[in-house]
Amino acid sequence: MDTPEFVEKLAKELRQRSDPHLPHEFYLEQVRRQLAGRAGLSGTAARDAVLGSRKTPLQSASVFRAWAMPE
């Protein structure tokens, strides 16, 4: 069930739960990678596998910034 619409929806949810300052493409790639490692999951099971039970947002994006914007 990894249709483009499903991947897009999960990426948006992941971005809302994480750091909204990171680019949307970052979350799309995260979702694709996580779904690729969990072949056979669909619907709620796939959503839970990607999003997990994390309820609080990340506090910073320093790791991404260090990777994406080297000095």
Side-chain angles (χ1 to χ4, degrees):
M1 180 155 187
D2 55 344
T3 64
E5 295 83 18
F6 185 67
V7 171
E8 181 77 25
K9 180 181 175 188
L10 288 178
K12 285 181 183 179
E13 286 186 47
L14 187 59
R15 188 175 192 196
Q16 288 174 348
R17 290 182 176 208
S18 300
D19 186 348
H21 296 100
L22 297 176
H24 182 66
E25 293 76 22
F26 174 81
Y27 293 104
L28 285 172
E29 187 61 30
Q30 283 292 106
V31 169
R32 288 180 187 125
R33 286 181 184 176
Q34 291 181 14
L35 288 176
R38 292 173 174 83
L41 293 181
S42 63
T44 304
R47 182 184 178 279
D48 291 344
V50 171
L51 299 177
S53 61
R54 180 181 201 143
K55 300 291 183 201
T56 58
L58 295 175
Q59 298 302 313
S60 74
S62 60
V63 173
F64 175 80
R65 288 190 182 115
W67 169 80
M69 297 182 253
E71 294 182 73

